[in-house]
Amino acid sequence: WDVRMNQCLQTTYLLPNTAQMSEAEQNMRVLDYTVDTKRGHIIHRVYLKDLRRCRLYVHTEESPAPVGSLKAHRDGVQVCLYNPQNQTFMTATASDVKQWDAATGQVMRNYAAVSDSAISAMCLDRRARRFVIGTHSGEVTARDYALGSVEVVFCPHKSEVTFLHYLPSHSVIVSAGW
């Protein structure tokens, strides 16, 4: 959307026409997405109702294709971010965070048990040198992108953090929760 002109500039269909979809594909729900600017791909997280699991898909011109190498998480992927500074993806599930090379699809780093509670939201800072996680218990922490070490512990929410966003115009992290 162009907010100045109140016009839709482009529409991207993440899944094909439902008439062409299999029954299993009709049970998908797109939860969120991130963009690989280097390759021009859209990576989206899809909830599969029948399997009660989340999977990552790469959206290409032809059709969405499952990202096979990203099955290394034990649980469904809760958050997926793209870091344009070093062409990596970061995924979070339960209390684990993994960093992936966008070119090869291989795991570069694994930060296990970064939280006592399940991760519910995540964002990057302005320079993409820190990732910020929010949890189901309300914790918000900033960690070093390369090392995974805690750099800042923010005032917690009373319960689940549902949204995190870095606002570059004010150099602040916006968080929301229940």
Side-chain angles (χ1 to χ4, degrees):
W1 281 92
D2 180 339
V3 293
R4 296 167 296 172
M5 304 299 286
N6 198 27
Q7 288 182 317
C8 179
L9 299 177
Q10 180 178 2
T11 302
T12 303
Y13 296 98
L14 298 177
L15 295 175
N17 184 330
T18 56
Q20 301 170 350
M21 293 171 62
S22 69
E23 187 177 321
E25 289 173 325
Q26 290 179 17
N27 288 321
M28 294 179 171
R29 183 173 53 127
V30 176
L31 300 175
D32 53 20
Y33 66 92
T34 189
V35 178
D36 178 349
T37 54
K38 185 176 181 184
R39 285 166 205 77
H41 291 152
I42 298 171
I43 308 293
H44 55 280
R45 184 170 60 106
V46 174
Y47 178 72
L48 303 172
K49 295 175 189 173
D50 290 349
L51 302 176
R52 294 184 179 160
R53 297 194 63 104
C54 292
R55 291 279 165 34
L56 296 180
Y57 283 78
V58 176
H59 181 74
T60 62
E61 298 263 338
E62 297 79 35
S63 66
V67 180
S69 62
L70 295 182
K71 294 180 182 173
H73 282 293
R74 288 181 307 235
D75 301 317
V77 175
Q78 298 302 313
V79 183
C80 177
L81 300 174
Y82 177 67
N83 185 338
Q85 302 296 352
N86 57 12
Q87 286 82 42
T88 59
F89 285 97
M90 183 166 271
T91 56
T93 177
S95 62
D96 299 337
V97 176
K98 291 189 179 188
Q99 202 178 110
W100 306 81
D101 184 313
T104 66
Q106 300 300 311
V107 176
M108 296 171 55
R109 294 178 181 93
N110 181 20
Y111 309 122
V114 296
S115 168
D116 292 335
S117 179
I119 296 169
S120 55
M122 192 165 59
C123 72
L124 299 174
D125 73 351
R126 178 177 55 89
R127 295 182 295 177
R129 293 186 182 170
R130 290 187 188 110
F131 63 98
V132 181
I133 61 170
T135 67
H136 281 280
S137 64
E139 300 167 348
V140 180
T141 57
R143 295 176 168 268
D144 181 83
Y145 195 85
L147 303 173
S149 57
V150 176
E151 292 190 350
V152 181
V153 176
F154 298 98
C155 294
H157 285 254
K158 292 180 181 176
S159 61
E160 180 181 1
V161 177
T162 57
F163 176 80
L164 287 172
H165 179 74
Y166 180 79
L167 192 59
S169 61
H170 292 84
S171 296
V172 297
I173 295 168
V174 177
S175 66
W178 295 104

